[in-house]
Every structure is written in C-alpha cells, then in structure tokens.
Amino acid sequence: MHCPRGHPYDEANTCISGGRRHCLQCGKDRRAALRQPPPSPKELILARCVVVGECWEWTGSAHNAGYGVVGAKLAHRLSYEAFVGPIADTLTIDHLCRNRKCVNPAHLEPVPLAINVLRGDSPPARNVRKTHCPQGHPYDEVNTYRTTKGHRIC
C-alpha cells in the first residue's frame, strides 16, 4: 500500500495517528487520494440552479431576504465573479430581471447602491419617479419647493 504520492506505507515511513496511516515523507494519509477536489465556482453555481424561463434560479440555501448564499457569500455575486469577472467593492449587483433567486450573469449588473435602490420598487424609488403632486400639479422648478430633508412640496 502506498500514499497518494507513491511512497510506501512501511514501518520506517509510516506514522499511525487517530487510526489513520500518515506518510512521514509527505504527510499525506491514504484518504487524501480518495477526496474529491472542491468544485469550481462555475460548477457549484450550475449544480445548484434550475432554468426557469431565462432566469437561473438558485436552489441552494437562501437568507431571509430571498437571495441565495454559498457560505458567507451571496450566490449572485459568486455567479457574476465566476462567469464575468471581479466586482468593485463600491458596487452592488442589480438583478435586471427583478428575481432575487436569479444567478444568470446576463441578468446581473454591477451598479452603485443608489442606482440599485432607485431602479427597484422601494418607497424612495417610487417617489423619485413621481412627476406630479397628489393634487395633480407638475413637479417642476417653478412649482416645487424642496425642504431641508429633500422632500418636494408643491
């Protein structure tokens, strides 16, 4: 019997610790040869998603906001980095398809946080898109006053 690197397990070259034989020349035990290498990020993404329409929906673990996770990393960020390239620390990933489970890199775009928020359906995003006050008057330079908090008043 030999270690994964071909050294013989004999009395001069073997240490038995915890029920395992360890090669004294290279430090490897015989189980090391049986271990599968970890999957690449691309393989991991493709193994844990299903195609639904044009989206690649994540089927692995997800956190309470609905985004997929791989360990401590968000699945959509891992997908973008694996298939496209690195993401700057100052950017977030915007799901162009609006599907939080989607990890299709064609549906992901790195953008600043403010742009990502304004593209969504949050209250600030809805308010920015408003062109008229509740009474129907247009929000324009002549008709609109901005408070110190940035609110628009007709």
Side-chain angles (χ1 to χ4, degrees):
M1 185 177 280
H2 293 80
C3 78
R5 294 194 180 158
H7 304 124
Y9 282 128
D10 55 22
E11 289 185 26
N13 187 41
T14 305
C15 170
I16 297 178
S17 172
R20 294 187 191 169
R21 291 183 183 184
H22 294 273
C23 175
L24 295 177
Q25 287 181 311
C26 63
K28 299 286 183 184
D29 67 26
R30 65 183 181 85
R31 292 188 196 177
L34 304 176
R35 291 188 195 114
Q36 295 291 326
S40 72
K42 285 183 182 180
E43 292 170 335
L44 187 109
I45 295 292
L46 294 173
R48 293 188 186 174
C49 69
V50 294
V51 177
V52 178
E54 293 184 9
C55 291
W56 301 357
E57 286 200 356
W58 182 252
T59 59
S61 300
H63 67 44
N64 58 4
Y67 294 101
V69 291
V70 180
K73 194 157 181 110
L74 292 169
H76 59 279
R77 289 185 72 88
L78 181 67
S79 176
Y80 189 88
E81 289 174 343
F83 289 97
V84 179
I87 304 166
D89 292 338
T90 58
L91 300 178
T92 61
I93 293 293
D94 184 17
H95 287 83
L96 301 174
C97 57
R98 313 304 331 146
N99 179 357
R100 292 180 177 187
K101 292 181 181 180
C102 183
V103 294
N104 183 346
H107 294 188
L108 306 173
E109 180 182 11
V111 295
L113 180 60
I115 299 296
N116 196 3
V117 169
L118 293 178
R119 285 181 177 178
D121 194 36
S122 65
R126 288 192 302 267
N127 286 333
V128 164
R129 288 191 290 268
K130 291 178 183 175
T131 59
H132 290 74
C133 77
Q135 289 75 34
H137 305 122
Y139 283 130
D140 58 21
E141 292 181 22
V142 176
N143 193 35
T144 307
Y145 168 74
R146 287 209 180 259
T147 68
T148 55
K149 291 184 177 181
H151 297 236
R152 297 180 292 185
I153 297 175
C154 176

